[in-house]
Amino acid sequence: YGKAYNFTGGSINYIEIPENPSLELENINFTIISWISLNPPITFAGIRHIIGKGNLLELAPPVGYGLLIYYSNPNTFFQFGTDVAKITGVGGFSANKWTHITGTQNIKDGMTTTKFYLNGVINKTGTQAYMATSSTGYNLFIASAESSETVTKAIIDEVMIFNRTLSDNEISGLYNLDL
């Protein structure tokens, strides 16, 4: 508690974690969680990364996984997942307001189910045929994209990555946890 990073676009622009096999999540079940509070004023338009590994901004095709914010006033959208298993939910993001965001990926019987949660509650679910993707060779970034000068101006805290799909009750419990 009290150890959040404030990404202002100044000297602390992003966190970069070197390539590591333990962060290769594309062919397994996984969960990504974070708290985020956007810094005012919210004036950006377009895509901003909360956490990402791979090249998620490429159009044909993107690779990797991540939590991204698509901001286009007045709506904020959140994208989670790999390039082939992504969902977009309507976010409740506003300046100086903490929001707990979670994305899960569950692979079973050739299908990928992704879920997006806002403040411990399911916001959107999507299911589609599973296709493998890869983020091998990429570093993991918090508050920025791979090789990007685009910084998410926000306070980000409690980033967690699990190599399994957490249950609805576990996600709700983490949201309600008083640290």
Side-chain angles (χ1 to χ4, degrees):
Y1 179 76
K3 306 265 184 185
Y5 280 90
N6 188 0
F7 300 97
T8 62
S11 61
I12 302 176
N13 289 319
Y14 60 87
I15 294 173
E16 181 176 2
I17 300 168
E19 163 70 11
N20 187 304
S22 68
L23 297 172
E24 300 300 324
L25 304 177
E26 54 275 344
N27 298 316
I28 65 170
N29 299 334
F30 66 92
T31 303
I32 301 175
I33 299 174
S34 182
W35 283 94
I36 184 169
S37 176
L38 298 176
N39 290 331
I42 303 175
T43 57
F44 66 84
I47 302 170
R48 296 294 184 268
H49 282 67
I50 300 165
I51 183 169
K53 185 173 188 316
N55 192 345
L56 300 169
L57 299 179
E58 287 294 320
L59 298 177
V63 296
Y65 61 86
L67 302 173
L68 297 83
I69 298 173
Y70 288 75
Y71 184 79
S72 176
N73 197 14
N75 298 314
T76 303
F77 298 93
F78 170 87
Q79 180 177 309
F80 167 76
T82 64
D83 66 311
V84 295
K86 58 187 168 189
I87 59 173
T88 302
V90 177
F93 299 99
S94 59
N96 295 322
K97 178 183 174 192
W98 283 102
T99 303
H100 187 260
I101 53 173
T102 303
T104 66
Q105 173 174 287
N106 189 46
I107 302 168
K108 183 177 180 182
D109 298 328
M111 299 298 288
T112 299
T113 301
T114 52
K115 293 182 182 179
F116 165 57
Y117 299 74
L118 274 176
N119 297 323
V121 178
I122 293 177
N123 179 276
K124 187 147 183 198
T125 300
T127 302
Q128 55 196 11
Y130 175 72
M131 295 172 54
T133 183
S134 177
S135 63
T136 301
Y138 290 95
N139 294 339
L140 184 133
F141 283 83
I142 299 174
S144 182
E146 178 85 26
S147 302
S148 174
E149 295 181 13
T150 304
V151 174
T152 303
K153 293 183 179 180
I155 302 171
I156 299 176
D157 198 12
E158 302 297 325
V159 173
M160 295 179 251
I161 302 174
F162 296 87
N163 62 355
R164 67 183 182 90
T165 305
L166 297 185
S167 70
D168 296 346
N169 287 338
E170 288 173 310
I171 291 165
S172 178
L174 288 170
Y175 167 69
N176 289 303
L177 188 63
D178 185 14
L179 295 178

